[in-house]
Amino acid sequence: MVYKITSSAAVQLKKVRGSKKSVVIPDTITVSGKKYSVTSIAGKAFSGKKITKVTIGKNVQKIGMKAFASCKKLKMVILKSVRLKSVGKQAFYRTDPKIRVKLGRKVIGKYRKLLMKGKISSKARYVPVKVS
């Protein structure tokens, strides 16, 4: 994964190299001995990749435009974040129509609206889980 340092304590996931089917976006990364929180996913970071499952870390606050667009095989999103503030236009456009989203019970209503703005399928299933 390629990251961009956005502040003294935060980084943005810019893009993904390789062809893994299952991807975990970590809560934090360490660069040269310094710890950074992964707070955002850049636009088109995963666009067109053949991923089937993504786990989004607890520090992510923003998902960029078309971040997961055209990931036609993406069937599962595990959203550990309770800090998500925005989902870019078409972030989940053209993903599997029956995509399953696992997220915390307290944020289902709020996140459903955000994900709908990101063009997630109207047939998406939201599964409440205990978020640590």
Side-chain angles (χ1 to χ4, degrees):
M1 292 191 204
V2 178
Y3 296 94
K4 175 185 175 187
I5 297 173
T6 56
S7 75
S8 62
V11 294
Q12 176 184 55
L13 173 63
K14 287 296 282 178
K15 63 182 175 179
V16 179
R17 293 190 179 133
S19 58
K20 283 188 173 181
K21 299 257 186 226
S22 181
V23 178
V24 176
I25 299 167
D27 301 334
T28 59
I29 63 164
T30 304
V31 179
S32 302
K34 186 167 177 10
K35 224 175 197 182
Y36 294 92
S37 294
V38 180
T39 58
S40 61
I41 302 168
K44 299 183 181 179
F46 291 89
S47 188
K49 296 284 184 184
K50 293 180 179 169
I51 58 172
T52 56
K53 177 181 174 183
V54 65
T55 302
I56 299 173
K58 67 181 180 183
N59 295 320
V60 173
Q61 297 173 14
K62 181 182 177 190
I63 298 173
M65 233 171 93
K66 297 185 179 181
F68 297 96
S70 299
C71 291
K72 295 175 185 171
K73 297 181 186 237
L74 183 59
K75 295 179 185 301
M76 172 75 71
V77 175
I78 300 169
L79 242 167
K80 291 184 175 181
S81 178
V82 291
R83 297 182 178 128
L84 192 64
K85 293 179 182 156
S86 70
V87 176
K89 287 182 181 178
Q90 297 183 342
F92 291 93
Y93 183 65
R94 294 180 67 201
T95 54
D96 189 294
K98 295 179 182 174
I99 192 168
R100 291 179 62 186
V101 182
K102 290 186 177 183
L103 64 170
R105 207 171 245 106
K106 294 179 182 177
V107 295
I108 286 181
K110 177 183 169 189
Y111 283 11
R112 183 179 288 188
K113 288 177 188 172
L114 285 174
L115 292 168
M116 291 301 276
K117 287 180 185 177
K119 296 287 185 198
I120 201 163
S121 170
S122 59
K123 296 177 185 174
R125 285 191 38 217
Y126 297 90
V127 181
V129 294
K130 189 173 182 177
V131 179
S132 55

